[in-house]
Protein backbone atom coordinates (compact mmCIF):
# COMPACT_ATOMS: atom_id res chain seq x y z
CA UNK A 1 0.00 0.00 0.00
CA UNK A 2 1.21 3.51 -0.72
CA UNK A 3 0.07 7.00 -1.50
CA UNK A 4 -3.09 7.00 -3.60
CA UNK A 5 -2.36 8.31 -7.11
CA UNK A 6 -4.80 10.34 -9.18
CA UNK A 7 -3.97 10.26 -12.90
CA UNK A 8 -4.76 12.65 -15.71
CA UNK A 9 -4.62 11.17 -19.23
CA UNK A 10 -4.04 13.09 -22.46
CA UNK A 11 -5.18 10.95 -25.39
CA UNK A 12 -7.23 7.74 -25.22
CA UNK A 13 -6.86 6.04 -28.55
CA UNK A 14 -5.60 2.48 -28.84
CA UNK A 15 -2.42 3.02 -26.78
CA UNK A 16 -4.17 5.32 -24.34
CA UNK A 17 -6.66 2.56 -23.60
CA UNK A 18 -3.78 0.15 -23.00
CA UNK A 19 -2.47 2.59 -20.39
CA UNK A 20 -5.92 2.78 -18.80
CA UNK A 21 -6.17 -1.01 -18.54
CA UNK A 22 -2.77 -1.25 -16.90
CA UNK A 23 -3.34 1.62 -14.47
CA UNK A 24 -6.50 -0.23 -13.39
CA UNK A 25 -4.32 -3.22 -12.41
CA UNK A 26 -2.23 -1.11 -10.03
CA UNK A 27 -3.11 -0.76 -6.35
CA UNK A 28 -4.29 2.61 -5.01
CA UNK A 29 -4.77 4.39 -8.32
CA UNK A 30 -7.58 6.03 -10.24
CA UNK A 31 -7.98 8.08 -13.40
CA UNK A 32 -9.66 11.39 -12.54
CA UNK A 33 -9.52 13.24 -15.83
CA UNK A 34 -9.08 12.62 -19.56
CA UNK A 35 -8.50 14.88 -22.54
CA UNK A 36 -9.75 13.09 -25.66
CA UNK A 37 -11.57 14.98 -28.44
CA UNK A 38 -12.88 11.95 -30.35
CA UNK A 39 -16.33 10.88 -29.16
CA UNK A 40 -15.82 7.24 -30.10
CA UNK A 41 -12.60 7.03 -28.11
CA UNK A 42 -14.31 8.79 -25.21
CA UNK A 43 -16.94 6.06 -25.18
CA UNK A 44 -14.28 3.33 -25.11
CA UNK A 45 -12.27 5.11 -22.42
CA UNK A 46 -15.39 5.50 -20.28
CA UNK A 47 -15.70 1.71 -20.09
CA UNK A 48 -12.17 1.48 -18.67
CA UNK A 49 -12.23 4.57 -16.43
CA UNK A 50 -15.93 5.10 -15.55
CA UNK A 51 -15.23 7.72 -12.89
CA UNK A 52 -13.05 9.93 -15.08
CA UNK A 53 -14.22 13.37 -16.16
CA UNK A 54 -13.59 14.39 -19.76
CA UNK A 55 -11.98 17.77 -20.37
CA UNK A 56 -11.81 19.78 -23.58
CA UNK A 57 -8.30 21.10 -22.94
CA UNK A 58 -5.11 20.53 -20.99
CA UNK A 59 -5.81 23.79 -19.18
CA UNK A 60 -9.12 22.42 -17.91
CA UNK A 61 -7.54 19.10 -16.92
CA UNK A 62 -4.76 20.77 -14.93
CA UNK A 63 -7.28 22.89 -13.05
CA UNK A 64 -8.16 19.76 -11.06
CA UNK A 65 -5.91 20.21 -8.02
CA UNK A 66 -6.35 16.54 -7.03
CA UNK A 67 -4.17 15.31 -9.91
CA UNK A 68 -0.87 13.71 -8.93
CA UNK A 69 0.55 12.93 -12.38
CA UNK A 70 -0.09 12.94 -16.11
CA UNK A 71 0.22 10.39 -18.91
CA UNK A 72 0.57 11.77 -22.46
CA UNK A 73 -0.68 9.32 -25.10
CA UNK A 74 -1.64 11.72 -27.89
CA UNK A 75 -0.46 11.49 -31.52
CA UNK A 76 3.32 11.81 -32.00
CA UNK A 77 3.33 15.34 -33.37
CA UNK A 78 1.51 16.64 -30.26
CA UNK A 79 3.97 15.50 -27.57
CA UNK A 80 6.48 18.36 -27.61
CA UNK A 81 3.88 21.15 -27.62
CA UNK A 82 1.89 19.46 -24.85
CA UNK A 83 4.96 19.05 -22.64
CA UNK A 84 5.72 22.75 -23.03
CA UNK A 85 2.11 23.74 -22.31
CA UNK A 86 2.14 21.64 -19.13
CA UNK A 87 5.41 23.27 -18.07
CA UNK A 88 3.81 26.67 -18.53
CA UNK A 89 0.75 25.79 -16.45
CA UNK A 90 1.64 23.31 -13.68
CA UNK A 91 4.52 20.95 -12.96
CA UNK A 92 3.41 17.37 -12.34
CA UNK A 93 5.23 14.05 -12.85
CA UNK A 94 4.72 12.97 -16.47
CA UNK A 95 4.85 9.68 -18.33
CA UNK A 96 5.02 10.68 -22.01
CA UNK A 97 4.70 8.20 -24.85
CA UNK A 98 7.36 7.82 -27.50
CA UNK A 99 8.48 9.37 -29.76
CA UNK A 100 9.26 12.43 -27.69
CA UNK A 101 9.13 14.69 -30.76
CA UNK A 102 8.91 14.52 -34.56
CA UNK A 103 10.61 17.70 -35.80
CA UNK A 104 14.25 18.68 -35.51
CA UNK A 105 13.27 22.16 -34.36
CA UNK A 106 11.95 20.55 -31.17
CA UNK A 107 15.43 19.47 -30.02
CA UNK A 108 16.45 22.83 -28.55
CA UNK A 109 13.00 23.40 -27.05
CA UNK A 110 13.07 20.05 -25.27
CA UNK A 111 16.64 20.52 -24.09
CA UNK A 112 15.46 23.71 -22.38
CA UNK A 113 12.42 21.87 -21.01
CA UNK A 114 14.66 19.17 -19.55
CA UNK A 115 16.83 21.76 -17.78
CA UNK A 116 13.95 23.72 -16.30
CA UNK A 117 11.04 21.35 -15.61
CA UNK A 118 11.04 20.69 -11.85
CA UNK A 119 9.06 17.42 -11.75
CA UNK A 120 10.05 13.92 -12.95
CA UNK A 121 9.46 13.06 -16.61
CA UNK A 122 9.58 9.44 -17.80
CA UNK A 123 9.58 8.66 -21.54
CA UNK A 124 7.51 5.54 -22.21
CA UNK A 125 9.82 2.91 -23.73
CA UNK A 126 7.80 -0.22 -23.05
CA UNK A 127 10.15 -2.62 -24.83
CA UNK A 128 12.71 -2.26 -22.02
CA UNK A 129 10.23 -3.96 -19.69
CA UNK A 130 9.25 -7.01 -21.70
CA UNK A 131 10.37 -9.74 -19.26
CA UNK A 132 12.48 -11.61 -21.84
CA UNK A 133 14.17 -8.37 -22.92
CA UNK A 134 14.82 -7.41 -19.29
CA UNK A 135 16.42 -10.83 -18.74
CA UNK A 136 18.66 -10.34 -21.79
CA UNK A 137 19.72 -6.88 -20.60
CA UNK A 138 20.60 -8.18 -17.15
CA UNK A 139 22.57 -11.21 -18.36
CA UNK A 140 24.22 -9.96 -21.55
CA UNK A 141 27.44 -8.53 -20.04
CA UNK A 142 28.35 -11.81 -18.34
CA UNK A 143 27.12 -14.19 -21.04
CA UNK A 144 28.82 -12.35 -23.92
CA UNK A 145 31.97 -11.20 -22.16
CA UNK A 146 31.19 -7.74 -23.54
CA UNK A 147 28.95 -7.12 -26.53
CA UNK A 148 30.57 -6.60 -29.93
CA UNK A 149 27.48 -7.13 -32.10
CA UNK A 150 23.84 -6.42 -31.28
CA UNK A 151 21.01 -7.30 -33.66
CA UNK A 152 17.34 -6.44 -33.23
CA UNK A 153 14.76 -7.84 -35.63
CA UNK A 154 11.07 -6.96 -35.64
CA UNK A 155 8.83 -8.83 -38.07
CA UNK A 156 5.27 -7.71 -37.50
CA UNK A 157 1.93 -6.46 -38.81
CA UNK A 158 1.32 -3.17 -40.61
CA UNK A 159 0.43 0.07 -38.89
CA UNK A 160 -3.08 -0.17 -37.46
CA UNK A 161 -5.81 2.42 -38.16
CA UNK A 162 -5.65 5.56 -36.02
CA UNK A 163 -8.06 8.44 -35.50
CA UNK A 164 -7.51 10.93 -38.32
CA UNK A 165 -5.13 8.45 -39.98
CA UNK A 166 -2.17 10.43 -38.65
CA UNK A 167 0.11 7.38 -38.63
CA UNK A 168 -0.04 7.04 -42.42
CA UNK A 169 2.23 10.02 -43.12
CA UNK A 170 5.84 10.87 -42.30
CA UNK A 171 5.11 14.49 -41.44
CA UNK A 172 2.96 13.55 -38.44
CA UNK A 173 4.87 10.48 -37.23
CA UNK A 174 8.46 11.53 -37.77
CA UNK A 175 8.75 8.60 -40.18
CA UNK A 176 8.70 4.87 -39.43
CA UNK A 177 12.30 4.79 -38.19
CA UNK A 178 11.31 7.41 -35.61
CA UNK A 179 7.73 6.38 -34.83
CA UNK A 180 8.22 2.63 -34.64
CA UNK A 181 11.93 2.16 -34.21
CA UNK A 182 12.83 4.67 -31.49
CA UNK A 183 12.03 1.76 -29.14
CA UNK A 184 14.85 -0.27 -30.64
CA UNK A 185 17.34 2.57 -30.76
CA UNK A 186 16.65 3.17 -27.08
CA UNK A 187 17.33 -0.52 -26.42
CA UNK A 188 20.62 -0.31 -28.31
CA UNK A 189 21.90 2.54 -26.13
CA UNK A 190 20.71 0.77 -22.99
CA UNK A 191 22.13 -2.65 -23.82
CA UNK A 192 25.46 -1.36 -25.13
CA UNK A 193 25.80 1.38 -22.49
CA UNK A 194 27.23 3.63 -25.17
CA UNK A 195 26.16 6.44 -27.48
CA UNK A 196 25.81 6.18 -31.26
CA UNK A 197 28.36 7.81 -33.56
CA UNK A 198 27.28 7.15 -37.15
CA UNK A 199 24.27 5.67 -38.91
CA UNK A 200 23.76 3.90 -42.24
CA UNK A 201 20.36 2.77 -43.50
CA UNK A 202 18.35 1.36 -46.38
CA UNK A 203 14.57 1.52 -46.05
CA UNK A 204 11.37 2.38 -47.84
CA UNK A 205 7.71 1.67 -48.56
CA UNK A 206 7.27 -1.69 -50.24
CA UNK A 207 3.67 -2.87 -49.90
CA UNK A 208 1.67 -1.35 -47.05
CA UNK A 209 -1.00 1.36 -47.46
CA UNK A 210 -0.18 2.02 -51.13
CA UNK A 211 -3.83 1.49 -52.11
CA UNK A 212 -5.14 3.94 -49.50
CA UNK A 213 -6.10 7.60 -49.98
CA UNK A 214 -6.63 10.29 -47.34
CA UNK A 215 -7.73 13.73 -48.55
CA UNK A 216 -6.45 12.70 -51.94
CA UNK A 217 -3.00 11.76 -50.68
CA UNK A 218 -1.40 8.31 -50.69
CA UNK A 219 0.40 7.35 -47.45
CA UNK A 220 4.19 7.68 -47.58
CA UNK A 221 5.00 5.76 -44.39
CA UNK A 222 7.79 3.17 -44.78
CA UNK A 223 7.25 -0.50 -44.00
CA UNK A 224 10.69 -2.18 -44.06
CA UNK A 225 14.38 -1.46 -43.76
CA UNK A 226 17.82 -2.08 -42.32
CA UNK A 227 19.78 0.27 -40.06
CA UNK A 228 23.44 -0.16 -39.03
CA UNK A 229 24.89 1.95 -36.22
CA UNK A 230 28.46 2.35 -34.95
CA UNK A 231 28.78 3.15 -31.24
CA UNK A 232 31.45 5.06 -29.37
CA UNK A 233 32.41 1.89 -27.50
CA UNK A 234 33.37 0.18 -30.76
CA UNK A 235 30.28 -2.04 -30.71
CA UNK A 236 28.05 -2.34 -33.75
CA UNK A 237 24.28 -2.71 -33.86
CA UNK A 238 21.79 -3.53 -36.58
CA UNK A 239 18.02 -3.19 -36.84
CA UNK A 240 15.93 -5.21 -39.29
CA UNK A 241 12.31 -4.13 -39.61
CA UNK A 242 9.57 -5.72 -41.71
CA UNK A 243 5.95 -4.66 -41.29
CA UNK A 244 4.45 -7.22 -43.69
CA UNK A 245 5.54 -10.29 -41.74
CA UNK A 246 2.65 -10.86 -39.35
CA UNK A 247 2.76 -14.60 -40.07
CA UNK A 248 5.85 -14.92 -37.89
CA UNK A 249 5.88 -16.96 -34.70
CA UNK A 250 7.88 -14.30 -32.88
CA UNK A 251 7.61 -10.55 -33.40
CA UNK A 252 10.86 -9.37 -31.78
CA UNK A 253 14.20 -11.18 -31.74
CA UNK A 254 17.29 -9.69 -30.11
CA UNK A 255 20.77 -11.20 -30.14
CA UNK A 256 23.95 -9.95 -28.47
CA UNK A 257 27.31 -11.57 -29.27
CA UNK A 258 30.72 -11.18 -27.65
CA UNK A 259 33.96 -13.03 -27.19
CA UNK A 260 32.42 -15.41 -24.59
CA UNK A 261 29.22 -16.28 -26.41
CA UNK A 262 25.76 -15.20 -27.46
CA UNK A 263 22.52 -14.39 -25.67
CA UNK A 264 19.23 -13.92 -27.48
CA UNK A 265 15.54 -13.53 -26.78
CA UNK A 266 12.41 -14.07 -28.80
CA UNK A 267 9.17 -12.27 -27.99
CA UNK A 268 5.76 -13.02 -29.54
CA UNK A 269 3.44 -10.33 -30.82
CA UNK A 270 0.07 -9.38 -29.32
CA UNK A 271 -1.92 -12.39 -28.13
CA UNK A 272 -5.07 -11.01 -29.76
CA UNK A 273 -3.48 -11.40 -33.20
CA UNK A 274 -2.59 -15.09 -32.71
CA UNK A 275 -5.07 -17.18 -34.73
CA UNK A 276 -7.07 -19.63 -32.58
CA UNK A 277 -6.54 -22.50 -35.02
CA UNK A 278 -2.78 -22.27 -34.43
CA UNK A 279 -3.17 -23.48 -30.86
CA UNK A 280 -1.58 -22.00 -27.77
CA UNK A 281 0.17 -18.67 -28.39
CA UNK A 282 3.97 -18.83 -28.25
CA UNK A 283 5.85 -17.96 -25.05
CA UNK A 284 8.85 -15.64 -24.99
CA UNK A 285 12.23 -17.37 -24.78
CA UNK A 286 15.74 -16.58 -23.62
CA UNK A 287 18.67 -18.56 -25.03
CA UNK A 288 22.31 -18.48 -23.97
CA UNK A 289 24.91 -19.99 -26.33
CA UNK A 290 28.41 -20.04 -24.80
CA UNK A 291 31.48 -20.71 -26.95
CA UNK A 292 33.13 -22.96 -24.36
CA UNK A 293 31.64 -25.36 -23.64
CA UNK A 294 29.48 -24.93 -26.76
CA UNK A 295 25.75 -25.56 -26.74
CA UNK A 296 22.63 -23.40 -26.33
CA UNK A 297 20.48 -23.38 -23.20
CA UNK A 298 16.92 -22.06 -23.53
CA UNK A 299 14.25 -21.15 -20.99
CA UNK A 300 10.69 -19.93 -21.38
CA UNK A 301 9.88 -16.47 -20.01
CA UNK A 302 6.10 -16.62 -19.37
CA UNK A 303 3.96 -13.55 -18.71
CA UNK A 304 0.83 -13.41 -16.55
CA UNK A 305 -2.18 -13.89 -18.89
CA UNK A 306 -3.92 -10.94 -17.23
CA UNK A 307 -1.05 -8.67 -18.31
CA UNK A 308 -1.08 -10.08 -21.84
CA UNK A 309 -4.79 -9.32 -21.99
CA UNK A 310 -4.22 -5.75 -20.79
CA UNK A 311 -2.01 -4.73 -23.69
CA UNK A 312 -0.03 -5.54 -26.80
CA UNK A 313 3.50 -5.32 -25.35
CA UNK A 314 4.11 -8.65 -23.58
CA UNK A 315 3.22 -7.29 -20.15
CA UNK A 316 5.73 -4.46 -20.28
CA UNK A 317 3.26 -1.58 -19.98
CA UNK A 318 2.23 -2.83 -16.53
CA UNK A 319 5.81 -3.17 -15.30
CA UNK A 320 6.61 0.30 -16.61
CA UNK A 321 3.61 1.73 -14.79
CA UNK A 322 4.65 0.05 -11.54
CA UNK A 323 7.99 1.82 -11.71
CA UNK A 324 6.47 5.16 -12.71
CA UNK A 325 4.03 4.93 -9.78
CA UNK A 326 7.02 4.46 -7.46
CA UNK A 327 8.48 7.69 -8.87
CA UNK A 328 5.21 9.55 -8.28
CA UNK A 329 5.16 8.25 -4.70
CA UNK A 330 8.68 9.55 -4.18
CA UNK A 331 10.59 6.31 -3.73
CA UNK A 332 11.76 5.45 -7.24
CA UNK A 333 13.99 6.91 -9.93
CA UNK A 334 13.16 7.79 -13.53
CA UNK A 335 14.70 5.10 -15.72
CA UNK A 336 14.02 6.64 -19.14
CA UNK A 337 14.94 10.30 -19.12
CA UNK A 338 14.15 13.14 -21.50
CA UNK A 339 17.71 12.74 -22.79
CA UNK A 340 17.12 9.03 -23.43
CA UNK A 341 13.93 9.80 -25.31
CA UNK A 342 15.63 12.52 -27.35
CA UNK A 343 18.56 10.30 -28.33
CA UNK A 344 16.22 7.54 -29.50
CA UNK A 345 14.46 10.03 -31.79
CA UNK A 346 17.73 11.53 -33.03
CA UNK A 347 18.92 8.04 -33.99
CA UNK A 348 15.66 7.47 -35.86
CA UNK A 349 15.97 10.80 -37.64
CA UNK A 350 19.55 9.97 -38.63
CA UNK A 351 18.34 6.63 -40.01
CA UNK A 352 15.49 8.27 -41.97
CA UNK A 353 17.95 10.79 -43.40
CA UNK A 354 20.58 8.14 -44.22
CA UNK A 355 18.07 5.91 -46.02
CA UNK A 356 16.79 8.81 -48.12
CA UNK A 357 20.15 10.36 -49.04
CA UNK A 358 22.11 7.07 -49.22
CA UNK A 359 24.76 8.73 -47.06
CA UNK A 360 26.27 7.93 -43.69
CA UNK A 361 24.92 10.35 -41.08
CA UNK A 362 26.91 11.48 -38.04
CA UNK A 363 24.80 11.77 -34.89
CA UNK A 364 26.64 14.93 -33.85
CA UNK A 365 25.63 16.62 -37.12
CA UNK A 366 22.02 16.41 -35.93
CA UNK A 367 22.75 17.33 -32.30
CA UNK A 368 24.91 20.29 -33.41
CA UNK A 369 22.28 21.56 -35.83
CA UNK A 370 24.29 20.90 -39.01
CA UNK A 371 21.33 18.91 -40.36
CA UNK A 372 18.29 21.06 -39.71
CA UNK A 373 15.72 19.60 -42.10
CA UNK A 374 14.85 15.93 -41.99
CA UNK A 375 14.81 14.23 -45.37
CA UNK A 376 12.12 11.54 -45.34
Amino acid sequence: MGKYINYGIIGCGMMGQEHLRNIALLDDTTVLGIVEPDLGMQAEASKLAPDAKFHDSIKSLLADERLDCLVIVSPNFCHADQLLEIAHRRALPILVEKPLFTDMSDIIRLQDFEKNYPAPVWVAMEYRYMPAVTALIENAPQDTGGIDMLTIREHRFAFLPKIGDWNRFNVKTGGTLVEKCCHFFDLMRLILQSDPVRVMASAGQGHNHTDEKYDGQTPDIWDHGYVIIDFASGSRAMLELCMFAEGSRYQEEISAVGVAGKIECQVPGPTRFWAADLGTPPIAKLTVSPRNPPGPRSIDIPVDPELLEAGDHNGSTFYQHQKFADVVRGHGDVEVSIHDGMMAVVMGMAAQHAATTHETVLINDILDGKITTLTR
Side-chain angles (χ1 to χ4, degrees):
M1 300 288 286
K3 170 190 171 185
Y4 204 90
I5 302 177
N6 295 312
Y7 287 76
I9 311 293
I10 300 170
C12 275
M14 185 180 301
M15 191 61 200
Q17 291 165 38
E18 178 167 326
H19 281 282
L20 290 178
R21 287 192 294 270
N22 282 277
I23 290 170
L25 296 176
L26 298 171
D27 293 330
D28 302 318
T29 63
T30 193
V31 175
L32 284 185
I34 295 173
V35 177
E36 172 50 65
D38 184 82
L39 295 180
M41 294 301 98
Q42 283 187 20
E44 294 301 315
S46 291
K47 299 174 185 176
L48 301 171
D51 297 327
K53 176 184 176 181
F54 286 92
H55 297 263
D56 60 6
S57 67
I58 292 175
K59 177 181 178 180
S60 173
L61 175 68
L62 292 177
D64 189 337
E65 294 294 335
R66 299 172 297 168
L67 290 180
D68 297 304
C69 64
L70 299 170
V71 182
I72 298 176
V73 209
S74 54
N76 298 0
F77 59 93
C78 300
H79 296 170
D81 286 342
Q82 289 173 342
L83 284 169
L84 295 173
E85 179 179 355
I86 292 164
H88 174 70
R89 297 187 182 281
R90 179 182 172 193
L92 288 171
I94 300 172
L95 176 67
V96 54
E97 263 298 338
K98 63 79 195 168
L100 193 58
F101 60 99
T102 59
D103 192 285
M104 287 187 176
S105 65
D106 291 327
I107 293 175
I108 294 176
R109 296 199 301 159
L110 288 172
Q111 286 173 334
D112 289 341
F113 171 84
E114 181 183 25
K115 292 177 185 176
N116 298 312
Y117 193 74
V121 179
W122 183 307
V123 181
M125 291 291 185
E126 287 85 9
Y127 285 52
R128 288 187 178 207
Y129 303 103
M130 293 176 171
V133 176
T134 299
L136 182 144
I137 293 168
E138 292 174 350
N139 290 284
Q142 175 180 336
D143 289 328
T144 64
I147 301 170
D148 293 295
M149 300 178 68
L150 175 66
T151 303
I152 300 177
R153 181 169 77 176
E154 183 172 66
H155 283 190
R156 56 162 283 164
F157 49 91
F159 283 115
L160 298 172
K162 300 280 187 177
I163 297 299
D165 308 301
W166 63 266
N167 66 339
R168 294 302 197 259
F169 297 94
N170 289 325
V171 69
K172 291 186 176 181
T173 62
T176 298
L177 299 181
V178 170
E179 200 288 332
K180 181 81 227 31
C181 300
C182 62
H183 274 305
F184 305 124
F185 299 136
D186 175 67
L187 281 178
M188 289 177 182
R189 287 184 67 245
L190 176 65
I191 293 170
L192 296 175
Q193 290 293 291
S194 182
D195 277 325
V197 175
R198 64 186 63 84
V199 179
M200 295 160 277
S202 176
Q205 184 182 21
H207 303 286
N208 296 350
H209 316 304
T210 56
D211 58 349
E212 300 173 10
K213 289 283 186 181
Y214 302 96
D215 296 326
Q217 294 184 311
T218 301
D220 59 1
I221 199 75
W222 294 351
D223 56 19
H224 71 292
Y226 293 100
V227 181
I228 298 175
I229 303 177
D230 291 335
F231 282 78
S233 64
S235 299
R236 295 174 174 85
M238 185 182 80
L239 170 68
E240 175 186 328
L241 174 72
C242 182
M243 299 186 69
F244 41 88
E246 58 267 38
S248 305
R249 183 169 184 82
Y250 293 101
Q251 182 166 291
E252 286 86 30
E253 298 177 79
I254 303 175
S255 70
V257 186
V259 67
K262 177 172 73 171
I263 185 171
E264 55 193 321
C265 69
Q266 299 169 310
V267 182
T271 304
R272 64 191 175 106
F273 292 153
W274 185 256
D277 61 354
L278 295 177
T280 304
I283 297 173
K285 293 182 180 294
L286 183 74
T287 301
V288 178
S289 304
R291 295 178 71 190
N292 186 25
R297 306 186 305 270
S298 295
I299 60 170
D300 288 344
I301 309 288
V303 176
D304 186 330
E306 186 176 28
L307 301 188
L308 294 177
E309 185 70 22
D312 288 343
H313 297 85
N314 203 239
S316 61
T317 303
F318 175 77
Y319 298 121
Q320 178 179 253
H321 266 290
Q322 278 188 320
K323 290 173 176 286
F324 176 66
D326 286 342
V327 171
V328 176
R329 293 186 172 111
H331 49 79
D333 296 320
V334 170
E335 295 185 4
V336 192
S337 67
I338 288 285
H339 178 71
D340 292 328
M342 288 183 61
M343 287 300 298
V345 172
V346 167
M347 292 166 74
M349 288 180 165
Q352 289 277 146
H353 199 77
T356 304
T357 62
H358 310 295
E359 297 175 352
T360 297
V361 175
L362 299 179
I363 291 293
N364 281 344
D365 282 352
I366 294 180
L367 293 175
D368 295 341
K370 295 178 182 177
I371 298 175
T372 56
T373 302
L374 180 60
T375 301
R376 298 184 174 118

